[in-house]
Amino acid sequence: MKLWLTYCAVFLSGILALGVLFNASANPEQVILGRWQETAWAYEQGIAFAADIAAASKSGSVQPEFSFHKAEDWEFLPGGRLRLRIAGKEEWLSWSMKGRGHVLQIKYGDHRIENYQLTVLKNNKMVLNAESDLQARGIAQLIFERDKSTTYAQKIQ
Amino acid sequence: MLRKYSNSRTLGDNVKLGVLTAFSAGMVNIASLLLFFSFSSNVTGHYAILAAELVKGNLFQAAVVLGWVFLFFFGGFVSNMFVINLNKKNTYIAHALPIVLEIICLVAVGTYGHFFYKETLAETEVMLALMLFAMGLQNGLTASISNFTVKTTHLTGITTDLGILFSMFTKKEYRRSKELKNKAVLLLSIAAAYLSGAIVSGITYMHMGFRLFYVVSIFLVVVIVYDFYKVKLFRFLHIKRKTPHIRPVQLNGTKHFPKMQLQKETEEEIAAY
């Protein structure tokens, strides 16, 4: 009986600790909501593939493998909707998070899917790593800063 | 596969159990990687990720990973609880229950994913948690009933053991050892089955999506039904041999019943029951 109580106590403490940890932390699905401005692209130097992407982005041609957005700002809305503003025009996509909240998946209307690794997600900064395959992570980064102006997501919170 | 316990298991029992469960684990692991971007049949990487998330101060992600690791542990715990508490009453039931629970978890993931999944993070995490629990159940069961010989949800230990075995095979004395050769056969079978499951999963995922988990469940049902059939067959034969509907033999004018003699294999099986 005493042994069972000990086991139950240990398991319950573990579950309680997990609950506390969840409560004390911010859900990335909530943190990402709002308007983000794309401030920079960063490439790791010395990698031929990354250099190709950089060259393609400078020349304005279609980039190999990825189709990074050149939106001025991205607005993540509840319900998995994403509003992009590109040269004054709006584009609507859908977004979702995968894994432990470390992968951002963006879906286009034509069923095309892009996956980005959420390397940094803080209140004012977000860094997305383009993910072509498991070995090529981290070669190209999109860096965002939070747009302080009022957004739809903030309004409804 | 499931009827025998620990040292009464043969190489064939272990290979059959190892191959079928490793194939299932390979399928589940790749399915979870492709659908949810996270592994579900091993936790070594999760420990590393847990440390990394703690260092980065990402408490939410750390809590998620800690929960997954706990569920894998809990799967092994529950599995072995069935084995050690029910083994004396009914070995088959004790060994089949964790597989039944595993099937329930995988069918739940498949059904929810196929019909209700809205792609929220909470759903993803719960489904991954179910898969990790299922893999913990499977790994706990196979390790427990095979005296820690068969572990089918990850290949780190198996690859290490194979490295050691193949280095031992450079010596003639070890090459002659039947025990070591059997172990190599078992480990290679498990590794090949896991890899095959992963490849099949990768190929079929595009067409099947979440329905892939039904296919995995079918493999596990085969594990249960195969032994259920064997149990039924054994009982049928055992009862048939015990019932005295054997014709008496006339010897020196008197009737004699021929002496019943169970085959050696059957005697061994009685011990296993």
Side-chain angles (χ1 to χ4, degrees):
Chain A
M1 189 65 185
K2 196 181 168 187
L3 183 74
W4 276 107
L5 282 175
T6 314
Y7 266 80
C8 287
V10 169
F11 282 147
L12 285 176
S13 317
I15 292 164
L16 201 69
L18 267 182
V20 169
L21 214 52
F22 272 118
N23 260 338
S25 55
N27 186 332
E29 255 183 347
Q30 298 297 320
V31 178
I32 203 170
L33 290 178
R35 190 180 285 170
W36 296 87
Q37 280 196 326
E38 207 175 299
T39 55
W41 289 21
Y43 300 99
E44 285 181 16
Q45 298 299 311
I47 301 172
F49 184 50
D52 288 346
I53 297 171
S57 71
K58 277 176 191 166
S59 67
S61 63
V62 178
Q63 290 120 31
E65 193 135 359
F66 302 113
S67 56
F68 291 151
H69 294 280
K70 291 183 176 176
E72 290 97 35
D73 63 48
W74 301 34
E75 187 168 5
F76 291 89
L77 300 164
R81 289 177 306 141
L82 171 62
R83 180 164 57 193
L84 297 178
R85 287 206 179 82
I86 311 164
K89 288 181 183 172
E90 278 188 359
E91 191 179 343
W92 287 90
L93 310 172
S94 59
W95 68 274
S96 59
M97 279 193 185
K98 302 283 176 181
R100 56 187 185 277
H102 71 295
V103 173
L104 175 69
Q105 189 169 76
I106 292 172
K107 283 183 184 167
Y108 294 78
D110 58 358
H111 302 294
R112 196 155 48 90
I113 294 171
E114 280 178 5
N115 297 310
Y116 299 91
Q117 188 156 355
L118 265 165
T119 319
V120 177
L121 181 59
K122 291 179 178 166
N123 281 335
N124 294 317
K125 191 182 180 187
M126 175 167 73
V127 177
L128 297 181
N129 277 34
E131 201 172 81
S132 66
D133 62 50
L134 291 175
Q135 303 302 321
R137 278 179 189 166
I139 56 166
Q141 289 185 328
L142 283 87
I143 300 163
F144 296 82
E145 278 178 15
R146 187 170 306 266
D147 191 334
K148 304 285 184 193
S149 62
T150 315
T151 62
Y152 171 73
Q154 285 167 327
K155 274 182 201 168
I156 62 160
Q157 273 179 348
Chain B
M1 275 182 275
L2 297 176
R3 291 163 300 142
K4 296 174 192 171
Y5 184 56
S6 195
N7 293 328
S8 64
R9 295 180 66 84
T10 63
L11 172 70
D13 294 326
N14 284 339
V15 168
K16 275 182 273 185
L17 178 69
V19 164
L20 279 169
T21 53
F23 190 85
S24 311
M27 284 187 85
V28 169
N29 203 29
I30 292 304
S32 74
L33 181 67
L34 294 172
L35 291 163
F36 303 122
F37 292 84
S38 199
F39 291 111
S40 63
S41 79
N42 54 75
V43 287
T44 316
H46 289 316
Y47 276 104
I49 289 165
L50 174 62
E53 296 292 8
L54 284 173
V55 168
K56 285 194 274 182
N58 294 335
L59 292 183
F60 183 89
Q61 282 89 339
V64 169
V65 176
L66 195 61
W68 290 344
V69 170
F70 172 76
L71 278 160
F72 193 84
F73 154 84
F74 194 60
F77 178 86
V78 170
S79 210
N80 201 51
M81 286 299 277
F82 281 128
V83 173
I84 58 176
N85 288 310
L86 298 176
N87 216 11
K88 284 178 185 169
K89 290 173 190 162
N90 189 321
T91 311
Y92 173 71
I93 296 286
H95 296 176
L97 271 177
I99 302 272
V100 171
L101 264 183
E102 185 186 350
I103 291 170
I104 291 169
C105 289
L106 295 178
V107 168
V109 170
T111 307
Y112 189 88
H114 189 61
F115 296 106
F116 309 106
Y117 186 41
K118 298 272 193 302
E119 299 202 44
T120 64
L121 191 55
E123 288 173 308
T124 301
E125 281 154 7
V126 170
M127 282 201 270
L128 269 166
L130 270 178
M131 280 191 265
L132 274 144
F133 178 65
M135 291 296 102
L137 281 169
Q138 180 181 308
N139 212 36
L141 175 76
T142 54
S144 174
I145 67 175
S146 66
N147 208 12
F148 298 95
T149 314
V150 183
K151 283 180 187 154
T152 55
T153 64
H154 54 272
L155 300 183
T156 315
I158 286 172
T159 311
T160 312
D161 289 354
L162 277 172
I164 292 166
L165 276 173
F166 278 95
S167 78
M168 289 173 92
F169 288 152
T170 57
K171 299 264 185 192
K172 200 172 184 180
E173 68 213 73
Y174 294 125
R175 272 203 304 277
R176 283 180 179 162
S177 164
K178 199 185 171 192
E179 194 186 342
L180 291 180
K181 277 196 273 188
N182 283 350
K183 190 163 187 185
V185 168
L186 173 65
L187 297 181
L188 281 171
S189 311
I190 291 170
Y194 190 94
L195 185 63
S196 308
I199 291 169
V200 168
S201 182
I203 293 167
T204 52
Y205 146 81
M206 292 298 285
H207 308 288
M208 299 189 74
F210 280 95
R211 282 172 295 177
L212 198 69
F213 291 100
Y214 300 145
V215 178
V216 179
S217 302
I218 289 169
F219 278 97
L220 296 172
V221 167
V222 169
V223 174
I224 293 176
V225 171
Y226 176 85
D227 271 336
F228 184 72
Y229 156 78
K230 283 266 189 178
V231 169
K232 283 279 181 197
L233 186 70
F234 170 80
R235 282 193 183 148
F236 174 73
L237 290 174
H238 192 61
I239 290 163
K240 200 177 173 187
R241 278 175 186 150
K242 274 191 166 176
T243 45
H245 54 69
I246 304 146
R247 285 180 195 160
V249 181
Q250 289 278 353
L251 284 173
N252 301 327
T254 53
K255 286 180 179 178
H256 290 271
F257 284 101
K259 279 187 179 176
M260 296 284 290
Q261 193 172 358
L262 295 172
Q263 286 178 355
K264 201 184 171 199
E265 187 192 352
T266 319
E267 283 170 356
E268 281 172 359
E269 286 199 334
I270 288 169
Y273 284 91

